[in-house]
Short mmCIF file of all heavy atoms in Angstrom, two decimals:
data_model
loop_
_atom_site.label_atom_id
_atom_site.label_comp_id
_atom_site.label_asym_id
_atom_site.label_seq_id
_atom_site.Cartn_x
_atom_site.Cartn_y
_atom_site.Cartn_z
N MET G 42 17.48 23.40 -11.54
CA MET G 42 17.74 22.65 -10.27
C MET G 42 16.62 21.62 -10.11
O MET G 42 15.44 21.96 -10.32
CB MET G 42 17.78 23.58 -9.15
CG MET G 42 17.96 22.80 -7.79
SD MET G 42 18.05 23.85 -6.37
CE MET G 42 19.39 24.95 -6.62
N THR G 43 16.87 20.37 -9.92
CA THR G 43 15.99 19.37 -9.82
C THR G 43 15.24 19.31 -8.40
O THR G 43 15.76 20.02 -7.47
CB THR G 43 16.60 17.94 -10.09
OG1 THR G 43 17.46 17.73 -8.89
CG2 THR G 43 17.35 17.85 -11.32
N LEU G 44 14.14 18.64 -8.32
CA LEU G 44 13.35 18.72 -7.08
C LEU G 44 14.20 18.10 -5.96
O LEU G 44 14.19 18.70 -4.80
CB LEU G 44 12.07 17.79 -7.26
CG LEU G 44 11.27 17.69 -6.04
CD1 LEU G 44 10.70 19.09 -5.58
CD2 LEU G 44 10.07 16.82 -6.34
N ASP G 45 14.98 17.01 -6.16
CA ASP G 45 15.77 16.41 -5.02
C ASP G 45 16.80 17.41 -4.63
O ASP G 45 17.14 17.57 -3.45
CB ASP G 45 16.41 15.10 -5.44
CG ASP G 45 17.17 15.07 -6.65
OD1 ASP G 45 17.06 15.94 -7.45
OD2 ASP G 45 18.08 14.13 -6.79
N GLU G 46 17.36 18.20 -5.56
CA GLU G 46 18.32 19.30 -5.25
C GLU G 46 17.75 20.32 -4.34
O GLU G 46 18.34 20.88 -3.39
CB GLU G 46 19.07 19.84 -6.39
CG GLU G 46 19.97 18.91 -7.13
CD GLU G 46 20.41 19.34 -8.54
OE1 GLU G 46 19.68 20.15 -9.12
OE2 GLU G 46 21.44 18.87 -8.96
N LYS G 47 16.51 20.74 -4.76
CA LYS G 47 15.81 21.72 -4.02
C LYS G 47 15.49 21.26 -2.60
O LYS G 47 15.68 22.09 -1.55
CB LYS G 47 14.56 22.17 -4.73
CG LYS G 47 14.67 22.91 -6.03
CD LYS G 47 13.29 23.26 -6.54
CE LYS G 47 13.47 23.90 -8.04
NZ LYS G 47 12.17 24.12 -8.58
N ILE G 48 15.00 20.03 -2.55
CA ILE G 48 14.76 19.50 -1.14
C ILE G 48 15.97 19.46 -0.23
O ILE G 48 15.96 19.89 0.89
CB ILE G 48 14.09 18.12 -1.24
CG1 ILE G 48 12.72 18.16 -1.95
CG2 ILE G 48 14.04 17.39 0.09
CD1 ILE G 48 12.18 16.88 -2.32
N TYR G 49 17.03 19.02 -0.87
CA TYR G 49 18.42 18.96 -0.13
C TYR G 49 18.78 20.41 0.31
O TYR G 49 19.18 20.55 1.46
CB TYR G 49 19.47 18.35 -1.06
CG TYR G 49 20.80 18.26 -0.48
CD1 TYR G 49 21.17 17.46 0.59
CD2 TYR G 49 21.86 19.15 -0.92
CE1 TYR G 49 22.37 17.45 1.14
CE2 TYR G 49 23.05 19.20 -0.37
CZ TYR G 49 23.31 18.34 0.81
OH TYR G 49 24.60 18.30 1.26
N GLN G 50 18.72 21.39 -0.58
CA GLN G 50 19.04 22.81 -0.19
C GLN G 50 18.24 23.33 0.93
O GLN G 50 18.76 23.90 1.91
CB GLN G 50 18.88 23.74 -1.45
CG GLN G 50 19.97 23.42 -2.45
CD GLN G 50 21.39 23.66 -2.02
OE1 GLN G 50 21.76 24.48 -1.19
NE2 GLN G 50 22.25 22.81 -2.50
N TYR G 51 16.89 23.10 0.91
CA TYR G 51 16.01 23.46 1.99
C TYR G 51 16.26 22.76 3.33
O TYR G 51 16.33 23.36 4.36
CB TYR G 51 14.59 23.37 1.57
CG TYR G 51 14.07 24.54 0.81
CD1 TYR G 51 13.93 24.36 -0.56
CD2 TYR G 51 13.72 25.73 1.34
CE1 TYR G 51 13.54 25.43 -1.36
CE2 TYR G 51 13.28 26.79 0.52
CZ TYR G 51 13.12 26.73 -0.83
OH TYR G 51 12.73 27.61 -1.57
N ALA G 52 16.58 21.44 3.16
CA ALA G 52 16.75 20.60 4.33
C ALA G 52 18.07 21.03 5.03
O ALA G 52 18.18 21.11 6.29
CB ALA G 52 16.90 19.16 3.96
N ARG G 53 19.06 21.44 4.33
CA ARG G 53 20.35 21.91 4.91
C ARG G 53 20.23 23.23 5.66
O ARG G 53 20.94 23.38 6.59
CB ARG G 53 21.34 22.14 3.74
CG ARG G 53 21.84 20.85 3.18
CD ARG G 53 23.00 21.10 2.24
NE ARG G 53 24.01 21.97 2.73
CZ ARG G 53 24.84 22.71 1.96
NH1 ARG G 53 24.66 22.69 0.66
NH2 ARG G 53 25.74 23.46 2.54
N LYS G 54 19.20 24.00 5.40
CA LYS G 54 18.93 25.19 6.06
C LYS G 54 18.27 25.04 7.41
O LYS G 54 18.25 25.89 8.25
CB LYS G 54 18.00 26.20 5.24
CG LYS G 54 18.75 26.63 4.00
CD LYS G 54 17.78 27.58 3.09
CE LYS G 54 18.51 27.95 1.87
NZ LYS G 54 17.65 28.76 1.04
N LEU G 55 17.65 23.85 7.67
CA LEU G 55 16.94 23.66 8.84
C LEU G 55 17.97 23.30 10.08
O LEU G 55 18.99 22.76 9.83
CB LEU G 55 16.10 22.38 8.78
CG LEU G 55 14.95 22.50 7.82
CD1 LEU G 55 14.29 21.22 7.51
CD2 LEU G 55 13.87 23.49 8.37
N PRO G 56 17.51 23.70 11.36
CA PRO G 56 18.36 23.21 12.40
C PRO G 56 18.39 21.62 12.48
O PRO G 56 17.44 20.98 11.97
CB PRO G 56 17.59 23.81 13.60
CG PRO G 56 16.57 24.74 13.06
CD PRO G 56 16.42 24.41 11.68
N TYR G 57 19.40 21.16 13.17
CA TYR G 57 19.62 19.72 13.13
C TYR G 57 18.42 19.02 13.72
O TYR G 57 18.04 17.91 13.15
CB TYR G 57 20.86 19.40 13.98
CG TYR G 57 21.21 17.90 13.98
CD1 TYR G 57 21.77 17.32 12.86
CD2 TYR G 57 20.85 17.10 15.10
CE1 TYR G 57 22.05 15.96 12.87
CE2 TYR G 57 21.22 15.78 15.10
CZ TYR G 57 21.77 15.21 13.94
OH TYR G 57 22.06 13.94 13.88
N SER G 58 17.86 19.45 14.70
CA SER G 58 16.62 18.82 15.33
C SER G 58 15.48 18.80 14.29
O SER G 58 14.70 17.66 14.25
CB SER G 58 16.16 19.40 16.58
OG SER G 58 15.76 20.82 16.29
N LEU G 59 15.29 19.76 13.45
CA LEU G 59 14.19 19.62 12.50
C LEU G 59 14.70 18.81 11.30
O LEU G 59 13.81 18.18 10.64
CB LEU G 59 13.91 21.03 12.02
CG LEU G 59 13.20 21.98 12.98
CD1 LEU G 59 12.91 23.29 12.40
CD2 LEU G 59 11.91 21.27 13.55
N GLN G 60 16.01 18.72 11.02
CA GLN G 60 16.46 17.70 10.02
C GLN G 60 16.11 16.29 10.47
O GLN G 60 15.75 15.42 9.58
CB GLN G 60 17.99 17.93 9.87
CG GLN G 60 18.36 19.17 9.08
CD GLN G 60 19.81 19.27 8.87
OE1 GLN G 60 20.64 18.34 9.22
NE2 GLN G 60 20.27 20.48 8.40
N GLU G 61 16.23 16.05 11.77
CA GLU G 61 15.93 14.69 12.23
C GLU G 61 14.44 14.41 12.10
O GLU G 61 14.01 13.37 11.65
CB GLU G 61 16.35 14.58 13.74
CG GLU G 61 17.80 14.47 13.96
CD GLU G 61 18.20 14.31 15.46
OE1 GLU G 61 17.58 15.04 16.25
OE2 GLU G 61 19.08 13.53 15.70
N GLU G 62 13.61 15.46 12.38
CA GLU G 62 12.14 15.35 12.28
C GLU G 62 11.75 15.08 10.78
O GLU G 62 10.98 14.34 10.49
CB GLU G 62 11.52 16.61 12.82
CG GLU G 62 10.02 16.51 12.90
CD GLU G 62 9.47 17.67 13.59
OE1 GLU G 62 10.01 18.31 14.49
OE2 GLU G 62 8.20 17.91 13.38
N LEU G 63 12.46 15.84 9.91
CA LEU G 63 12.24 15.69 8.50
C LEU G 63 12.67 14.28 8.10
O LEU G 63 11.85 13.64 7.27
CB LEU G 63 13.04 16.72 7.71
CG LEU G 63 13.01 16.60 6.08
CD1 LEU G 63 11.50 16.78 5.70
CD2 LEU G 63 13.93 17.54 5.53
N PHE G 64 13.74 13.73 8.61
CA PHE G 64 14.02 12.29 8.17
C PHE G 64 13.00 11.33 8.65
O PHE G 64 12.71 10.41 7.88
CB PHE G 64 15.43 12.08 8.84
CG PHE G 64 15.90 10.63 8.48
CD1 PHE G 64 16.33 10.35 7.26
CD2 PHE G 64 16.02 9.68 9.52
CE1 PHE G 64 16.83 9.08 6.99
CE2 PHE G 64 16.44 8.52 9.29
CZ PHE G 64 16.91 8.16 8.00
N ASP G 65 12.57 11.59 9.92
CA ASP G 65 11.51 10.66 10.35
C ASP G 65 10.23 10.74 9.54
O ASP G 65 9.62 9.68 9.19
CB ASP G 65 11.01 11.02 11.80
CG ASP G 65 12.21 10.68 12.81
OD1 ASP G 65 13.07 9.90 12.54
OD2 ASP G 65 12.07 11.28 14.02
N PHE G 66 9.96 11.94 9.07
CA PHE G 66 8.67 12.10 8.15
C PHE G 66 8.96 11.50 6.87
O PHE G 66 8.06 10.83 6.34
CB PHE G 66 8.38 13.64 8.07
CG PHE G 66 7.22 13.82 7.23
CD1 PHE G 66 5.98 13.48 7.69
CD2 PHE G 66 7.25 14.40 5.94
CE1 PHE G 66 4.77 13.76 6.91
CE2 PHE G 66 6.10 14.66 5.30
CZ PHE G 66 4.83 14.32 5.75
N ILE G 67 10.19 11.48 6.33
CA ILE G 67 10.39 10.84 5.08
C ILE G 67 10.31 9.31 5.22
O ILE G 67 9.75 8.67 4.34
CB ILE G 67 11.82 11.30 4.47
CG1 ILE G 67 11.84 12.72 4.05
CG2 ILE G 67 12.32 10.38 3.41
CD1 ILE G 67 13.17 13.27 3.90
N GLN G 68 10.77 8.78 6.32
CA GLN G 68 10.64 7.47 6.56
C GLN G 68 9.19 7.04 6.65
O GLN G 68 8.78 6.00 6.12
CB GLN G 68 11.39 6.97 7.80
CG GLN G 68 12.92 6.98 7.63
CD GLN G 68 13.55 6.58 8.96
OE1 GLN G 68 13.27 7.03 10.04
NE2 GLN G 68 14.55 5.63 8.86
N TYR G 69 8.34 7.82 7.38
CA TYR G 69 6.87 7.54 7.43
C TYR G 69 6.33 7.51 6.03
O TYR G 69 5.52 6.60 5.69
CB TYR G 69 6.28 8.58 8.33
CG TYR G 69 4.82 8.77 8.11
CD1 TYR G 69 3.91 7.81 8.60
CD2 TYR G 69 4.20 9.73 7.34
CE1 TYR G 69 2.66 7.93 8.41
CE2 TYR G 69 2.81 9.87 7.15
CZ TYR G 69 2.04 8.93 7.71
OH TYR G 69 0.75 8.98 7.55
N LEU G 70 6.66 8.49 5.11
CA LEU G 70 6.15 8.54 3.82
C LEU G 70 6.57 7.33 3.05
O LEU G 70 5.70 6.86 2.26
CB LEU G 70 6.51 9.91 3.13
CG LEU G 70 5.94 11.13 3.70
CD1 LEU G 70 6.47 12.36 2.95
CD2 LEU G 70 4.41 11.09 3.53
N LEU G 71 7.72 6.88 3.10
CA LEU G 71 8.20 5.68 2.44
C LEU G 71 7.53 4.45 2.89
O LEU G 71 6.96 3.55 2.11
CB LEU G 71 9.71 5.43 2.65
CG LEU G 71 10.60 6.43 1.90
CD1 LEU G 71 12.02 6.34 2.36
CD2 LEU G 71 10.44 6.35 0.47
N ILE G 72 7.15 4.32 4.19
CA ILE G 72 6.39 3.18 4.73
C ILE G 72 4.97 3.19 4.16
O ILE G 72 4.39 2.25 3.75
CB ILE G 72 6.57 3.14 6.20
CG1 ILE G 72 7.94 2.74 6.67
CG2 ILE G 72 5.43 2.14 6.77
CD1 ILE G 72 8.14 2.83 8.22
N LYS G 73 4.39 4.41 4.22
CA LYS G 73 3.03 4.67 3.68
C LYS G 73 2.90 4.27 2.24
O LYS G 73 1.98 3.54 1.86
CB LYS G 73 2.67 6.09 4.00
CG LYS G 73 1.18 6.50 3.61
CD LYS G 73 0.91 7.90 3.88
CE LYS G 73 -0.46 8.29 3.40
NZ LYS G 73 -0.74 9.69 3.53
N ALA G 74 3.89 4.76 1.49
CA ALA G 74 3.92 4.41 0.02
C ALA G 74 4.03 2.86 -0.23
O ALA G 74 3.34 2.31 -1.05
CB ALA G 74 4.97 5.16 -0.62
N GLU G 75 4.79 2.29 0.55
CA GLU G 75 5.04 0.85 0.47
C GLU G 75 3.74 0.05 0.78
O GLU G 75 3.38 -0.77 0.06
CB GLU G 75 6.23 0.32 1.31
CG GLU G 75 6.55 -1.12 1.25
CD GLU G 75 7.64 -1.54 2.12
OE1 GLU G 75 8.67 -0.86 2.09
OE2 GLU G 75 7.49 -2.44 2.91
N GLN G 76 3.09 0.50 1.80
CA GLN G 76 1.81 -0.13 2.18
C GLN G 76 0.75 0.02 1.20
O GLN G 76 0.01 -0.81 0.93
CB GLN G 76 1.39 0.36 3.63
CG GLN G 76 2.20 -0.07 4.75
CD GLN G 76 1.85 0.49 6.07
OE1 GLN G 76 1.22 1.50 6.07
NE2 GLN G 76 2.46 -0.07 7.15
N GLN G 77 0.63 1.23 0.63
CA GLN G 77 -0.26 1.56 -0.38
C GLN G 77 0.00 0.73 -1.61
O GLN G 77 -0.98 0.13 -2.21
CB GLN G 77 -0.24 3.09 -0.83
CG GLN G 77 -1.29 3.42 -1.78
CD GLN G 77 -1.23 4.95 -2.07
OE1 GLN G 77 -0.50 5.63 -1.37
NE2 GLN G 77 -2.20 5.39 -2.88
N GLU G 78 1.25 0.50 -1.95
CA GLU G 78 1.57 -0.33 -3.16
C GLU G 78 1.16 -1.72 -2.84
O GLU G 78 0.56 -2.46 -3.73
CB GLU G 78 3.09 -0.26 -3.53
CG GLU G 78 3.40 -0.93 -4.78
CD GLU G 78 4.87 -0.76 -5.09
OE1 GLU G 78 5.57 0.09 -4.42
OE2 GLU G 78 5.38 -1.57 -5.96
N LYS G 79 1.47 -2.22 -1.68
CA LYS G 79 1.06 -3.54 -1.28
C LYS G 79 -0.45 -3.77 -1.42
O LYS G 79 -0.98 -4.80 -1.90
CB LYS G 79 1.57 -4.00 0.05
CG LYS G 79 2.98 -4.23 0.17
CD LYS G 79 3.40 -4.62 1.58
CE LYS G 79 4.85 -4.86 1.70
NZ LYS G 79 5.34 -5.25 3.06
N GLN G 80 -1.17 -2.80 -0.89
CA GLN G 80 -2.65 -2.85 -0.97
C GLN G 80 -3.16 -2.76 -2.42
O GLN G 80 -4.09 -3.54 -2.69
CB GLN G 80 -3.29 -1.69 -0.21
CG GLN G 80 -4.78 -1.67 -0.15
CD GLN G 80 -5.42 -2.81 0.61
OE1 GLN G 80 -4.81 -3.29 1.51
NE2 GLN G 80 -6.55 -3.25 0.10
N GLU G 81 -2.63 -2.02 -3.26
CA GLU G 81 -2.96 -2.03 -4.66
C GLU G 81 -2.68 -3.33 -5.32
O GLU G 81 -3.65 -3.81 -6.04
CB GLU G 81 -2.23 -0.84 -5.42
CG GLU G 81 -2.78 0.46 -4.97
CD GLU G 81 -1.81 1.68 -5.49
OE1 GLU G 81 -0.83 1.38 -6.07
OE2 GLU G 81 -2.24 2.80 -5.24
N TRP G 82 -1.57 -3.89 -5.03
CA TRP G 82 -1.29 -5.21 -5.66
C TRP G 82 -2.20 -6.35 -5.19
O TRP G 82 -2.66 -7.17 -5.88
CB TRP G 82 0.17 -5.67 -5.36
CG TRP G 82 1.15 -5.11 -6.31
CD1 TRP G 82 2.03 -4.15 -6.07
CD2 TRP G 82 1.28 -5.44 -7.75
NE1 TRP G 82 2.74 -3.82 -7.25
CE2 TRP G 82 2.31 -4.72 -8.32
CE3 TRP G 82 0.66 -6.35 -8.61
CZ2 TRP G 82 2.71 -4.79 -9.65
CZ3 TRP G 82 1.05 -6.41 -9.88
CH2 TRP G 82 2.07 -5.62 -10.46
N ALA G 83 -2.52 -6.27 -3.84
CA ALA G 83 -3.49 -7.22 -3.31
C ALA G 83 -4.81 -7.06 -3.92
O ALA G 83 -5.47 -8.10 -4.27
CB ALA G 83 -3.56 -7.04 -1.78
N SER G 84 -5.27 -5.88 -4.14
CA SER G 84 -6.60 -5.63 -4.70
C SER G 84 -6.55 -6.13 -6.18
O SER G 84 -7.54 -6.74 -6.65
CB SER G 84 -6.89 -4.18 -4.66
OG SER G 84 -8.09 -3.89 -5.29
N LEU G 85 -5.47 -5.82 -6.87
CA LEU G 85 -5.31 -6.30 -8.17
C LEU G 85 -5.37 -7.80 -8.35
O LEU G 85 -6.01 -8.37 -9.18
CB LEU G 85 -3.99 -5.77 -8.85
CG LEU G 85 -3.77 -6.19 -10.28
CD1 LEU G 85 -4.82 -5.70 -11.26
CD2 LEU G 85 -2.41 -5.68 -10.71
N SER G 86 -4.62 -8.53 -7.44
CA SER G 86 -4.55 -9.91 -7.35
C SER G 86 -5.95 -10.51 -7.17
O SER G 86 -6.28 -11.44 -7.80
CB SER G 86 -3.56 -10.38 -6.36
OG SER G 86 -2.22 -10.00 -6.64
N LEU G 87 -6.67 -9.98 -6.19
CA LEU G 87 -7.94 -10.51 -5.94
C LEU G 87 -8.84 -10.29 -7.12
O LEU G 87 -9.69 -11.13 -7.40
CB LEU G 87 -8.59 -9.74 -4.58
CG LEU G 87 -9.91 -10.26 -4.25
CD1 LEU G 87 -9.94 -11.78 -3.93
CD2 LEU G 87 -10.39 -9.51 -3.02
N SER G 88 -8.87 -9.11 -7.64
CA SER G 88 -9.77 -8.89 -8.79
C SER G 88 -9.42 -9.72 -9.90
O SER G 88 -10.28 -10.19 -10.75
CB SER G 88 -9.77 -7.32 -9.21
OG SER G 88 -8.48 -6.98 -9.77
N SER G 89 -8.07 -9.98 -10.20
CA SER G 89 -7.67 -10.88 -11.28
C SER G 89 -8.07 -12.28 -11.02
O SER G 89 -8.65 -12.91 -11.90
CB SER G 89 -6.19 -10.87 -11.37
OG SER G 89 -5.75 -9.61 -11.86
N ALA G 90 -8.04 -12.74 -9.75
CA ALA G 90 -8.47 -14.11 -9.37
C ALA G 90 -9.94 -14.26 -9.49
O ALA G 90 -10.44 -15.39 -9.89
CB ALA G 90 -8.00 -14.39 -7.92
N MET G 91 -10.75 -13.24 -9.21
CA MET G 91 -12.15 -13.31 -9.24
C MET G 91 -12.78 -13.01 -10.58
O MET G 91 -13.93 -13.25 -10.88
CB MET G 91 -12.80 -12.34 -8.30
CG MET G 91 -12.42 -12.50 -6.86
SD MET G 91 -12.88 -14.04 -6.17
CE MET G 91 -14.61 -13.67 -5.92
N ARG G 92 -11.91 -12.61 -11.56
CA ARG G 92 -12.44 -12.27 -12.93
C ARG G 92 -13.11 -13.46 -13.54
O ARG G 92 -12.62 -14.59 -13.47
CB ARG G 92 -11.30 -11.77 -13.78
CG ARG G 92 -11.75 -11.24 -15.14
CD ARG G 92 -10.53 -10.70 -15.90
NE ARG G 92 -9.24 -10.74 -15.15
CZ ARG G 92 -8.12 -10.72 -15.58
NH1 ARG G 92 -7.95 -10.58 -16.82
NH2 ARG G 92 -7.00 -10.83 -14.88
N ASP G 93 -14.20 -13.26 -14.15
CA ASP G 93 -14.97 -14.19 -14.95
C ASP G 93 -15.63 -15.35 -14.06
O ASP G 93 -16.14 -16.31 -14.54
CB ASP G 93 -14.18 -14.83 -16.06
CG ASP G 93 -13.62 -13.91 -17.00
OD1 ASP G 93 -14.35 -12.92 -17.26
OD2 ASP G 93 -12.58 -14.14 -17.56
N MET G 94 -15.53 -15.27 -12.68
CA MET G 94 -16.05 -16.26 -11.89
C MET G 94 -17.56 -16.17 -11.90
O MET G 94 -18.32 -17.20 -11.74
CB MET G 94 -15.57 -16.10 -10.41
CG MET G 94 -14.18 -16.74 -10.21
SD MET G 94 -13.67 -16.66 -8.51
CE MET G 94 -14.59 -18.09 -7.91
N ALA G 95 -18.19 -15.01 -12.11
CA ALA G 95 -19.64 -14.89 -12.16
C ALA G 95 -20.16 -15.70 -13.34
O ALA G 95 -21.28 -16.07 -13.36
CB ALA G 95 -20.03 -13.38 -12.25
N ASP G 96 -19.34 -15.83 -14.36
CA ASP G 96 -19.84 -16.61 -15.56
C ASP G 96 -19.79 -18.08 -15.44
O ASP G 96 -20.20 -18.85 -16.29
CB ASP G 96 -18.98 -16.12 -16.75
CG ASP G 96 -19.22 -14.55 -17.09
OD1 ASP G 96 -20.21 -14.06 -16.72
OD2 ASP G 96 -18.29 -14.03 -17.54
N GLU G 97 -19.05 -18.62 -14.43
CA GLU G 97 -18.85 -19.96 -14.18
C GLU G 97 -20.19 -20.58 -13.75
O GLU G 97 -20.93 -20.06 -12.95
CB GLU G 97 -17.72 -20.36 -13.26
CG GLU G 97 -16.42 -19.94 -13.79
CD GLU G 97 -15.31 -20.24 -12.81
OE1 GLU G 97 -15.51 -20.95 -11.84
OE2 GLU G 97 -14.19 -19.81 -13.10
N PRO G 98 -20.46 -21.88 -14.19
CA PRO G 98 -21.65 -22.54 -13.59
C PRO G 98 -21.62 -22.86 -12.17
O PRO G 98 -20.51 -23.15 -11.67
CB PRO G 98 -21.74 -23.73 -14.56
CG PRO G 98 -20.41 -24.06 -14.95
CD PRO G 98 -19.71 -22.62 -15.13
N ASP G 99 -22.64 -22.83 -11.52
CA ASP G 99 -22.62 -23.26 -10.10
C ASP G 99 -22.47 -24.82 -9.98
O ASP G 99 -23.15 -25.51 -10.68
CB ASP G 99 -23.94 -22.94 -9.46
CG ASP G 99 -24.24 -21.36 -9.38
OD1 ASP G 99 -23.25 -20.74 -9.24
OD2 ASP G 99 -25.33 -21.01 -9.31
N LEU G 100 -21.55 -25.21 -9.20
CA LEU G 100 -21.25 -26.60 -8.97
C LEU G 100 -22.31 -27.23 -8.03
O LEU G 100 -22.57 -28.44 -8.14
CB LEU G 100 -19.85 -26.80 -8.45
CG LEU G 100 -18.72 -26.33 -9.37
CD1 LEU G 100 -17.44 -26.49 -8.72
CD2 LEU G 100 -18.76 -27.04 -10.71
N TYR G 101 -22.80 -26.45 -7.07
CA TYR G 101 -23.70 -27.00 -6.11
C TYR G 101 -24.92 -26.02 -5.97
O TYR G 101 -24.81 -24.87 -6.21
CB TYR G 101 -23.01 -27.06 -4.70
CG TYR G 101 -21.81 -27.91 -4.68
CD1 TYR G 101 -20.50 -27.38 -4.81
CD2 TYR G 101 -21.93 -29.32 -4.69
CE1 TYR G 101 -19.42 -28.16 -4.79
CE2 TYR G 101 -20.74 -30.08 -4.71
CZ TYR G 101 -19.45 -29.48 -4.70
OH TYR G 101 -18.50 -30.30 -4.83
N SER G 102 -26.04 -26.57 -5.57
CA SER G 102 -27.29 -25.80 -5.26
C SER G 102 -27.51 -25.72 -3.83
O SER G 102 -26.85 -26.49 -3.03
CB SER G 102 -28.44 -26.43 -6.14
OG SER G 102 -28.77 -27.66 -5.48
N VAL G 103 -28.53 -24.98 -3.46
CA VAL G 103 -28.83 -24.87 -2.09
C VAL G 103 -29.32 -26.26 -1.51
O VAL G 103 -29.07 -26.60 -0.38
CB VAL G 103 -29.98 -23.78 -1.89
CG1 VAL G 103 -30.47 -23.80 -0.47
CG2 VAL G 103 -29.50 -22.47 -2.30
N SER G 104 -29.94 -27.03 -2.42
CA SER G 104 -30.38 -28.38 -1.88
C SER G 104 -29.33 -29.27 -1.62
O SER G 104 -29.50 -30.31 -1.02
CB SER G 104 -31.40 -28.96 -2.98
OG SER G 104 -30.70 -29.16 -4.14
N ASP G 105 -28.10 -29.00 -2.18
CA ASP G 105 -26.96 -29.93 -1.87
C ASP G 105 -26.35 -29.65 -0.49
O ASP G 105 -25.56 -30.37 0.01
CB ASP G 105 -25.83 -29.57 -2.90
CG ASP G 105 -26.25 -29.98 -4.24
OD1 ASP G 105 -26.88 -31.09 -4.38
OD2 ASP G 105 -25.81 -29.29 -5.20
N ILE G 106 -26.83 -28.58 0.18
CA ILE G 106 -26.32 -28.28 1.53
C ILE G 106 -26.87 -29.20 2.54
O ILE G 106 -28.06 -29.32 2.52
CB ILE G 106 -26.44 -26.76 1.87
CG1 ILE G 106 -25.77 -25.92 0.93
CG2 ILE G 106 -26.08 -26.54 3.35
CD1 ILE G 106 -26.01 -24.43 1.12
N ARG G 107 -26.11 -29.88 3.38
CA ARG G 107 -26.63 -30.70 4.30
C ARG G 107 -26.12 -30.30 5.74
O ARG G 107 -25.03 -30.12 5.91
CB ARG G 107 -26.07 -32.16 4.09
CG ARG G 107 -26.57 -33.14 5.03
CD ARG G 107 -26.10 -34.51 4.59
NE ARG G 107 -26.04 -35.32 5.75
CZ ARG G 107 -25.55 -36.63 5.79
NH1 ARG G 107 -25.17 -37.06 4.71
NH2 ARG G 107 -25.59 -37.27 6.87
N LEU G 108 -27.14 -30.14 6.64
CA LEU G 108 -26.79 -29.74 7.92
C LEU G 108 -26.99 -30.91 8.92
O LEU G 108 -27.99 -31.38 9.06
CB LEU G 108 -27.65 -28.43 8.39
CG LEU G 108 -27.54 -27.25 7.46
CD1 LEU G 108 -28.59 -26.17 8.00
CD2 LEU G 108 -26.12 -26.72 7.48
N ASP G 109 -25.87 -31.17 9.58
CA ASP G 109 -25.93 -32.27 10.60
C ASP G 109 -25.64 -31.57 11.95
O ASP G 109 -24.58 -31.01 12.22
CB ASP G 109 -24.92 -33.37 10.32
CG ASP G 109 -25.24 -34.16 9.26
OD1 ASP G 109 -26.40 -34.42 8.94
OD2 ASP G 109 -24.36 -34.61 8.54
N PHE G 110 -26.68 -31.68 12.84
CA PHE G 110 -26.49 -31.09 14.17
C PHE G 110 -26.45 -32.14 15.27
O PHE G 110 -26.78 -31.93 16.39
CB PHE G 110 -27.61 -30.09 14.50
CG PHE G 110 -27.49 -28.88 13.65
CD1 PHE G 110 -28.43 -28.69 12.61
CD2 PHE G 110 -26.56 -27.98 13.80
CE1 PHE G 110 -28.40 -27.58 11.84
CE2 PHE G 110 -26.47 -26.81 13.08
CZ PHE G 110 -27.43 -26.70 12.02
N ALA G 111 -26.11 -33.30 14.93
CA ALA G 111 -26.00 -34.42 15.81
C ALA G 111 -24.83 -34.61 16.63
O ALA G 111 -23.86 -34.15 16.31
CB ALA G 111 -26.30 -35.83 15.07
#
């Protein structure tokens, strides 16, 4: 018996109100997994974008910064 079949068999044994609660929990887990995947992709994208930037020459120095408070 596969895992999804086992889950189905156990879920069928629950009272209807607990089946609804189980369904809500499953939806929560799906949203959580989706958010985690988005976070992982965002982190990967940022690390890919930043890769090798430390090796690039500086285009400006501190002396190039000009502050005008007028």
Side-chain angles (χ1 to χ4, degrees):
M42 183 180 295
T43 66
L44 179 60
D45 58 340
E46 291 170 333
K47 289 179 186 178
I48 293 169
Y49 176 72
Q50 291 298 322
Y51 279 101
R53 287 184 52 202
K54 294 178 184 179
L55 293 171
Y57 184 76
S58 62
L59 291 178
Q60 288 179 5
E61 289 180 320
E62 191 174 331
L63 177 61
F64 180 70
D65 290 342
F66 184 65
I67 290 169
Q68 288 180 314
Y69 161 76
L70 290 176
L71 288 171
I72 291 169
K73 182 179 174 182
E75 183 180 306
Q76 289 174 344
Q77 184 176 359
E78 185 177 349
K79 285 181 182 179
Q80 180 64 34
E81 289 170 359
W82 275 110
S84 178
L85 176 64
S86 295
L87 181 59
S88 65
S89 294
M91 300 296 286
R92 188 177 355 162
D93 300 327
M94 285 188 72
D96 299 334
E97 292 182 11
D99 293 333
L100 298 177
Y101 302 99
S102 68
V103 174
S104 62
D105 293 324
I106 298 174
R107 181 177 154 185
L108 302 175
D109 287 327
F110 293 107

